Amino acid sequence: MPKPFYKKLFEKIIEGILALSGSITSLAVLLIVIFLFKEGLGLFNRSPISEGYVLAVNKSNPISKIDANLVKQIFDQEITNWEKVGGKKDSIILFHLDDINSIYTEAQIGENLENLPTCISNVVDSIGGIVAFVPKSYIKSDFKGKVIEPVNITPKEFLLGKEWYPTAEPSAQMGILPILLGTLWVSLGAILLSLPLGLAVAIYMAEIANARVRNIFKPIIELLAGIPSVIYGFFGLVVIVPLIQTVFNLPVGETALAGSIILAIMALPTIITIAEDSLRTTPRSMKEASLALGASRWQTIYRIVIPYSISGITAAAILGIGRAIGETMAVLMVTGNAAVMPHSFLEPVRTIPATIAAELGESPKDGLHYQALFILGSILFIMTLIINLTVEYISSRNKLGKR
Amino acid sequence: MAKIETLDANLFYGDFHALKNISMQMEENTVTALIGPSGCGKSTYLRLFNRMNDLIDSTRITGQILVDGEDIYRKNINVDELRIKVGMVFQKPNPFPKSIFENVAYGLRVNGEKNKSYIEDKVVQSLKQSALWNEVSDKLTKSAFELSGGQQQRLCIARALAISPSVILMDEPASALDPLSTAKIEELIHELKKEYTIVIVTHNMQQASRVSDYTAFFYLGELVEYGQTVEIFTKPKLKHTENYITGRFG
């Protein structure tokens, strides 16, 4: 008997809905990735000078291009002579717009600032070593000085720059190395703490604990995975941070170590669950064979069970790192968030997710800072992508390797 | 004195009474076959002698189980040492995911043997004893998984022999193998009998009659009949045994 028409139609509709949900999900992932890169990549080949401003020098000054980092040093008065930046031997004189009042009277400038462009032009023309940081709108066509171009932000400078002052004036500093290192630092610490502990728990649960103990432990560990990260942050702030402060006798307890400890606790459920599952795949016959040869239970675990499930354990560790790298809230709360190069675990650090979360709200859309944060997001995405691909590779190799 | 002896051995899995009052003696340098339908307790009985049943939760054992006159279930016994004395070969070949050499050396290593040349000698000797040497002598460092099923099983026998046991328990050692490999294993059992006491569980009646000196027929956790293999297979005392052996039930 052929199926009635409405039944066929119904099945078709269901199939369509299922297919649609699948494609919508994949599309969403794709869109997020495209969005991330599209927003971020505009950063490169943009001038690091604050928008709407220019740097102007006397026209006798041979310099026409200048590095963003040097601009900062000049305005911080760390560099005081043009010789250092490749110019003539002449001391640098800084000029901000406010300084105009000390040279010209209000009457000279004019009630509605109508003479301001001319005044600026005259100042720049009269002082040889001047560098003026002034709004672009005051540079008219008859400007007697020279506008210098800062070197645009390059990917190399972005990745390897050691200073992150995205809103600094006159020139933003977009070096993400401290943030990148901060992220890796905290994650590395987390995995060093959580892997031994997680593995120990996994071994205990898979090989030693009896069914009753396991039935108590398992839900508790799963509960650990369900605690919101802001609660972990609370816990870290109230318990771990003061503890670190007193134990190591530090001025502040908000350090990379605090972040690592919190992340280690957060990564534990992932590591334990995956490692335990993989330890359990060791065939019973193999364990029996080992025991039957007079090996003790512990010898069987470290000579047979762990080598057999090593790829699963590796996957657990890598996924644990993945969890740690992407975590935002708890880390933001306990690491102190200083974007400086980390030298030890007892210093404040700042991670990529924490940077994005803390700064995105304050950065104007499509501005330099905004785009830099999106690049940071893209880098984070690439890191987790690499992690996931590694896990995929390890587990596929595992399937082929065993009978 | 019997090599292995049980007196009123009982075993319970929780509430299930798996072995009922089994009393048996096995002499040194003999092969004893345990036969019976699936679930009759013969494998469970075999696993009493190296305390493999310990691995299963909620088992309870009563009665006496003696190896070399020693109660192996008494307190303070060193189970690891017992398992060195009583080796075991399992139903399915279960080599470790290691090299052929390391598989055989494993028992020596876990028992603290450090002397390299001793380990090497012992590995070679065990592989020769298990009639595998000629086939693997040039690929000792290869993975054990590269061997065929029959070779793997002989490797497992070599592995058991390497730690010089005096008893070898075999739990259906040929059930997963082809006839040719089975014949090799049976031949091997004949050879090994000279030095070891062997207890073998088998489903294969012909195999039992070919390799064993004594045969014990188990049914529903009870020892139904036990005697010389020749007698059990030619003139069993009980009708029940005869029916099973001739394939009328089972």
Side-chain angles (χ1 to χ4, degrees):
Chain A
M1 201 178 81
K3 277 189 197 168
F5 171 72
Y6 67 88
K7 216 169 181 176
K8 261 190 196 166
L9 185 71
F10 183 69
E11 278 180 8
K12 281 282 169 214
I13 290 173
I14 294 284
E15 273 175 29
I17 291 173
L18 295 181
L20 201 65
S21 354
S23 28
I24 286 175
T25 315
S26 337
L27 215 62
V29 174
L30 208 66
L31 273 179
I32 290 174
V33 175
I34 292 173
F35 164 75
L36 209 57
F37 283 89
K38 186 189 134 295
E39 291 286 319
L41 282 177
L43 175 74
F44 302 119
N45 304 322
R46 256 183 93 152
S47 157
I49 299 294
S50 314
E51 224 168 326
Y53 282 79
V54 289
L55 288 177
V57 294
N58 189 286
K59 61 176 178 293
S60 65
N61 199 321
I63 287 169
S64 59
K65 283 240 172 216
I66 189 158
D67 202 72
N69 196 266
L70 294 176
V71 175
K72 177 178 177 282
Q73 287 181 35
I74 288 170
F75 277 81
D76 285 351
Q77 298 184 335
E78 282 162 21
I79 295 177
T80 53
N81 200 307
W82 286 109
E83 206 183 5
K84 286 237 179 87
V85 294
K88 292 183 295 189
K89 192 167 183 175
D90 194 1
S91 57
I92 298 174
I93 294 156
L94 299 178
F95 179 80
H96 289 92
L97 195 57
D98 300 343
D99 301 334
I100 199 89
N101 290 324
S102 59
I103 302 170
Y104 294 98
T105 62
E106 267 180 49
Q108 282 171 310
I109 296 167
E111 206 171 319
N112 300 317
L113 308 176
E114 62 268 13
N115 296 327
L116 190 57
T118 324
C119 295
I120 293 171
S121 177
N122 289 337
V123 169
V124 172
D125 194 36
S126 59
I127 305 171
I130 198 167
V131 54
F133 175 57
V134 289
K136 208 175 190 168
S137 51
Y138 294 138
I139 306 297
K140 301 293 182 199
S141 53
D142 59 349
F143 184 63
K144 285 182 246 167
K146 184 170 73 171
V147 171
I148 54 171
E149 291 289 324
V151 176
N152 290 338
I153 299 167
T154 61
K156 186 184 162 221
E157 218 175 289
F158 186 74
L159 285 174
L160 298 179
K162 292 182 183 169
E163 296 193 19
W164 174 256
Y165 297 110
T167 54
E169 287 190 329
S171 177
Q173 304 296 309
M174 296 291 188
I176 63 161
L177 194 61
I179 300 174
L180 217 56
L181 284 181
T183 308
L184 295 175
W185 208 245
V186 171
S187 306
L188 183 76
I191 209 68
L192 287 179
L193 291 173
S194 63
L195 192 59
L197 186 62
L199 200 54
V201 177
I203 290 171
Y204 175 74
M205 299 242 295
E207 293 295 323
I208 295 165
N210 59 32
R212 220 186 55 221
V213 176
R214 195 161 52 238
N215 287 342
I216 299 169
F217 264 52
K218 193 108 188 170
I220 293 177
I221 287 161
E222 274 155 16
L223 192 68
L224 209 57
I227 297 175
S229 59
V230 70
I231 306 291
Y232 280 107
F234 256 145
F235 171 74
L237 208 55
V238 174
V239 179
I240 293 172
V241 167
L243 194 71
I244 289 175
Q245 195 175 350
T246 34
V247 169
F248 295 101
N249 196 18
L250 298 171
V252 282
E254 280 133 340
T255 54
L257 182 64
S260 293
I261 292 174
I262 284 295
L263 284 182
I265 300 173
M266 294 179 76
L268 271 181
T270 315
I271 293 177
I272 293 172
T273 315
I274 296 171
E276 194 209 344
D277 285 350
S278 106
L279 288 169
R280 280 181 177 283
T281 60
T282 314
R284 192 195 162 86
S285 66
M286 222 165 261
K287 287 186 266 178
E288 282 184 345
S290 168
L291 291 169
L293 289 166
S296 66
R297 185 144 79 166
W298 174 235
Q299 282 175 321
T300 303
I301 289 171
Y302 83 81
R303 281 177 183 265
I304 301 296
V305 177
I306 292 179
Y308 189 89
S309 43
I310 192 69
S311 59
I313 293 169
T314 318
I318 296 171
L319 281 177
I321 295 176
R323 175 106 163 88
I325 282 184
E327 173 51 38
T328 310
M329 204 56 220
V331 181
L332 183 70
M333 289 167 81
V334 300
T335 51
N337 298 315
V340 290
M341 296 292 282
H343 299 289
S344 83
F345 274 105
L346 299 176
E347 283 171 27
V349 293
R350 174 187 282 210
T351 65
I352 294 177
T355 306
I356 296 173
E359 295 179 6
L360 193 61
E362 298 161 8
S363 62
K365 188 171 184 319
D366 295 330
L368 211 58
H369 187 191
Y370 180 85
Q371 287 179 328
L373 293 178
F374 271 88
I375 296 272
L376 274 181
S378 310
I379 290 172
L380 190 65
F381 169 77
I382 291 168
M383 280 164 120
T384 46
L385 184 73
I386 290 171
I387 286 167
N388 284 349
L389 290 178
T390 316
V391 172
E392 197 98 328
Y393 170 71
I394 288 172
S395 36
S396 69
R397 195 187 54 179
N398 183 25
K399 269 173 217 141
L400 294 175
K402 286 173 193 159
R403 291 188 275 185
Chain B
M1 187 179 66
K3 183 77 184 170
I4 303 174
E5 187 172 0
T6 61
L7 281 169
D8 286 329
N10 282 283
L11 184 140
F12 302 84
Y13 290 127
D15 294 334
F16 178 64
H17 198 171
L19 291 175
K20 298 168 186 165
N21 296 318
I22 313 246
S23 296
M24 242 175 101
Q25 290 192 340
M26 288 162 241
E27 298 302 322
E28 200 162 3
N29 298 348
T30 61
V31 178
T32 307
L34 310 179
I35 61 170
S38 297
C40 68
K42 55 193 189 306
S43 281
T44 305
Y45 184 65
L46 185 78
R47 285 162 167 255
L48 277 183
F49 307 132
N50 66 345
R51 295 193 54 160
M52 268 296 161
N53 291 320
D54 293 12
L55 305 182
I56 299 156
D57 288 342
S58 72
T59 52
R60 195 162 55 82
I61 293 158
T62 64
Q64 276 194 311
I65 296 111
L66 310 173
V67 174
D68 288 334
E70 200 183 5
D71 183 353
I72 59 168
Y73 281 85
R74 72 174 194 304
K75 273 184 188 161
N76 307 328
I77 187 162
N78 186 333
V79 178
D80 298 343
E81 268 172 31
L82 169 73
R83 287 176 182 157
I84 294 170
K85 184 154 74 174
V86 183
M88 186 160 189
V89 177
F90 294 82
Q91 181 170 3
K92 269 196 211 152
N94 55 354
F96 300 128
K98 297 173 186 286
S99 70
I100 292 170
F101 184 91
E102 282 305 319
N103 260 281
V104 184
Y106 183 84
L108 297 167
R109 293 202 198 280
V110 295
N111 291 305
E113 184 58 58
K114 292 269 192 309
N115 187 335
K116 264 190 181 175
S117 60
Y118 176 78
I119 292 178
E120 268 169 39
D121 290 348
K122 203 69 195 174
V123 168
V124 174
Q125 187 199 333
S126 308
L127 284 171
K128 280 179 180 162
Q129 255 184 315
S130 63
L132 192 60
W133 176 247
N134 293 335
E135 292 155 61
V136 302
S137 59
D138 54 343
K139 48 181 179 182
L140 290 176
T141 55
K142 291 266 173 65
S143 164
F145 290 150
E146 286 179 24
L147 300 176
S148 74
Q151 288 173 322
Q152 285 186 8
Q153 192 62 305
R154 275 179 285 148
L155 180 70
C156 291
I157 293 173
R159 186 171 70 182
L161 296 178
I163 50 172
S164 317
S166 57
V167 178
I168 299 175
L169 309 174
M170 294 184 170
D171 192 353
E172 300 183 46
S175 68
L177 304 181
D178 63 278
L180 213 69
S181 305
T182 305
K184 278 192 175 164
I185 301 276
E186 288 180 11
E187 211 175 297
L188 191 57
I189 293 172
H190 268 298
E191 281 299 310
L192 296 175
K193 192 172 88 172
K194 293 169 194 158
E195 290 176 57
Y196 306 91
T197 308
I198 296 172
V199 188
I200 176 169
V201 166
T202 178
H203 267 121
N204 182 329
M205 293 306 118
Q206 284 78 30
Q207 188 173 65
S209 68
R210 281 194 299 263
V211 301
S212 69
D213 305 311
Y214 295 90
T215 298
F217 173 50
F218 281 74
Y219 186 67
L220 297 178
E222 284 178 71
L223 177 61
V224 178
E225 192 169 347
Y226 175 43
Q228 292 210 331
T229 301
V230 189
E231 283 180 17
I232 296 265
F233 278 86
T234 50
K235 40 186 185 200
K237 294 192 189 79
L238 298 172
K239 190 73 188 157
H240 198 155
T241 315
E242 191 186 336
N243 284 347
Y244 181 72
I245 289 168
T246 52
R248 251 168 258 163
F249 95 103

